[in-house]
Amino acid sequence: MSSPYHAGPISEALWQRALSRIPGGVNSPVRAFRGVGGEPFFVNKAKGCTITDVDGREYIDFVGTWGPAILGHAPQVVIEAVTETAKHGTSFGIPNPLEVEMAETICRLVPSVQKVRMTNSGTEAVMSAIRLARGFTGRDRIVKFEGCYHGHVDSLLVKAGSGALTLGQPDSAGIPASLAALTTTVPFNDLEALKAVFRDQGPEIACVILEPVPANAGLYLPEPGYLNAIRQLCTEHGSLLVFDEVMTGFRLAPGGAQEIFGITPDLTTMGKVIGGGLPVGAFGGRADIMDHLAPLGPVYQAGTLSGNPLALAAGLAQLKEMERINGWAHLEFLGAQMEESMRALIKGKPLTFQRIGSMFCLYFTEGPVRNLADAKQSDTAAFARYFHAALENGIYFAPSQYEAGFLSTAHSPEVLERVAKALPRLLQII
Ligand code: KE4
């Protein structure tokens, strides 16, 4: 079995310094390679679908900074927009025109969003959305799904996915038991379990929040009719339906997963793509709900840098370019090419490849993977060997079995063909 990939000397020296001053050496746990072993490399430049580490080694990047880089890294349109905007200041703390343009753009692309407020991260967007749901309904209970990750929001670090799952800490320390007790979790794709929760707790439920396509335990899809059934249950019980589209939003379609599946949530949380790689989040939905937010209504929510002109310039440039080139059609073309080659490669092997649009996951288990319990059947040791073998071949996949991969419009058919040719070697060592 291949040993963990060894980063170059400059990365290794930086890693030792990082470990002495940053908890675990990282500013976000999933970057620490804890799920795959070995030590992370450091990157200081990226272009298109390629990242370059500080020792000059290049990798084809299938993480895309966890979703924002939908046009690939450092797209010219984003660099120019940020550069031009920065010349006139980086933050005003006063309304700026880009906030109006971004709000109008989001509401145009996502019809369920009648009003929207910007934040500085997906976590902030989700935290604000559930506070708003509680304030609007006067109810306290939140329902979430095992394996879904919604940022490090206290109420939602319960059976959470992503880094929490990778580290084996789906229920974080530091969350008061009294708060966690207000969160009910159910398995995804299990409608009977959700119906039972509504039977027992319906009048208490402020909202049901989910990733319409869970992508923080790998990637699995809602079964036919499941999302619509959740919509109906929420409507019947006066609970709000919150779609967390921080990852799927503006990626799976201009209007995100809700456009693909034809569902109208009451609130949507967003992020990543609309910041073009700069810190951003947003939450929006029905105007009658959103108008409960301060300064209009009783639900307080705020942010010094919310609506930051640089982040909005980057996000708007990215959205405009995606519309100009119809990037979503191109991403589907690339995703279909990748899926075809992956399926041919894994035939007869204990592997499952699941994809929607430009998001994918190769599970090291028979599959199909329908929920967290299925995903946890994966052979994470085999995944780790695959991950490091890929690095040796200049390919960077997400450093955890419980993360999704991302294509960008910068991943050419030729690049995907080159990766497909390398994969048999990677899979042989499993
Ligand atoms: P941020 O606070 O990290 O901007 O967004 C939190 C968030 C909310 N909702 C969903 C569906 C998300 O996927 C995320 C964050 N995604 C992870 C990747 N699985 C971020 C990577 C990290 O934690 O470093």
Side-chain angles (χ1 to χ4, degrees):
M1 100 95 168
S2 69
S3 60
Y5 171 75
H6 283 291
I10 299 174
S11 272
E12 286 182 340
L14 281 166
W15 182 239
Q16 292 312 312
R17 289 169 52 195
L19 285 170
S20 68
R21 291 296 182 203
I22 306 169
V26 292
N27 284 306
S28 198
V30 74
R31 303 178 195 166
F33 280 20
R34 288 293 180 93
V36 291
E39 298 177 350
F41 49 88
F42 283 67
V43 167
N44 60 354
K45 63 183 174 184
K47 184 69 179 171
C49 67
T50 304
I51 52 177
T52 305
D53 73 18
V54 292
D55 292 282
R57 301 177 187 180
E58 290 190 354
Y59 311 83
I60 298 168
D61 177 18
F62 286 105
V63 181
T65 182
W66 303 101
I70 197 166
L71 294 173
H73 291 285
Q76 199 52 35
V77 289
V78 169
I79 300 303
E80 283 171 5
V82 172
T83 305
E84 281 311 305
T85 305
K87 286 176 183 171
H88 304 293
T90 55
S91 176
F92 311 115
I94 304 166
N96 78 78
L98 293 174
E99 292 175 88
V100 178
E101 188 179 353
M102 178 60 87
E104 290 173 342
T105 300
I106 289 172
C107 293
R108 173 171 60 84
L109 294 174
V110 191
S112 72
V113 176
Q114 296 170 335
K115 286 193 176 180
V116 61
R117 177 162 287 175
M118 303 307 295
T119 63
N120 299 283
S121 69
T123 295
E124 255 191 78
V126 171
M127 176 182 71
S128 306
I130 61 173
R131 181 185 310 134
L132 177 59
R134 285 171 160 157
F136 177 78
T137 61
R139 303 177 181 182
D140 293 339
R141 184 160 297 282
I142 306 285
V143 176
K144 76 174 288 287
F145 296 81
E146 294 166 6
C148 282
Y149 177 73
H150 303 288
H152 59 95
V153 183
D154 277 359
S155 292
L156 300 175
L157 278 176
V158 179
K159 294 200 175 92
S162 187
L165 177 60
T166 297
L167 297 178
Q169 298 164 342
D171 305 293
S172 171
I175 312 292
S178 57
L179 184 62
L182 289 172
T183 301
T184 300
T185 60
V186 290
F188 192 76
N189 277 327
D190 182 344
L191 185 55
E192 288 315 309
L194 184 63
K195 283 181 177 175
V197 165
F198 270 101
R199 269 198 305 276
D200 299 345
Q201 302 176 324
E204 305 167 33
I205 299 172
C207 70
V208 172
I209 182 167
L210 68 152
E211 298 173 65
V213 176
N216 282 290
L219 179 95
Y220 41 85
L221 300 176
E223 294 190 334
Y226 182 61
L227 296 180
N228 195 50
I230 298 175
R231 172 65 278 175
Q232 286 177 356
L233 282 167
C234 287
T235 303
E236 282 163 24
H237 291 269
S239 305
L240 300 186
L241 176 58
V242 183
F243 268 15
D244 182 352
E245 295 225 44
V246 166
M247 272 212 277
T248 55
F250 312 98
R251 172 172 281 279
L252 294 186
Q258 57 194 270
E259 177 183 325
I260 301 270
F261 293 98
I263 303 289
T264 302
D266 300 299
L267 292 174
T268 300
T269 55
M270 299 157 272
K272 297 186 191 270
V273 168
I274 58 172
L278 274 69
V280 78
F283 65 107
R286 282 171 30 198
D288 63 316
I289 301 172
M290 294 298 288
D291 285 351
H292 275 65
L293 286 170
L296 278 183
V299 179
Y300 196 70
Q301 191 277 340
T304 303
L305 296 173
S306 296
N308 175 269
L310 299 194
L312 299 197
L316 283 165
Q318 190 142 266
L319 290 173
K320 284 172 186 167
E321 183 66 5
M322 282 293 288
E323 288 195 276
R324 186 185 73 81
I325 64 173
N326 190 3
W328 294 281
H330 189 51
L331 289 174
E332 179 51 36
F333 169 76
L334 295 171
Q337 177 187 333
M338 178 179 212
E339 179 166 359
E340 185 182 354
S341 49
M342 288 301 272
R343 289 198 182 285
L345 270 172
I346 66 175
K347 220 182 188 75
K349 290 182 169 63
L351 301 168
T352 305
F353 183 79
Q354 300 189 166
R355 173 189 77 90
I356 181 168
S358 58
M359 298 172 71
F360 64 88
C361 179
L362 178 63
Y363 283 108
F364 282 66
T365 181
E366 289 286 353
V369 175
R370 305 168 51 255
N371 55 36
L372 176 63
D374 291 346
K376 289 174 77 172
Q377 298 304 310
S378 300
D379 179 345
T380 52
F383 173 84
R385 293 194 294 272
Y386 164 77
F387 170 80
H388 286 289
L391 281 183
E392 293 287 354
N393 286 269
I395 301 167
Y396 178 57
F397 292 120
S400 167
Q401 171 69 91
Y402 304 121
E403 294 290 352
F406 299 88
L407 292 172
S408 77
T409 56
H411 285 83
S412 67
E414 295 72 28
V415 162
L416 296 185
E417 191 54 39
R418 185 151 43 98
V419 171
K421 285 199 169 74
L423 286 176
R425 271 197 319 280
L426 307 187
L427 294 175
Q428 269 163 10
I429 59 105
I430 301 307

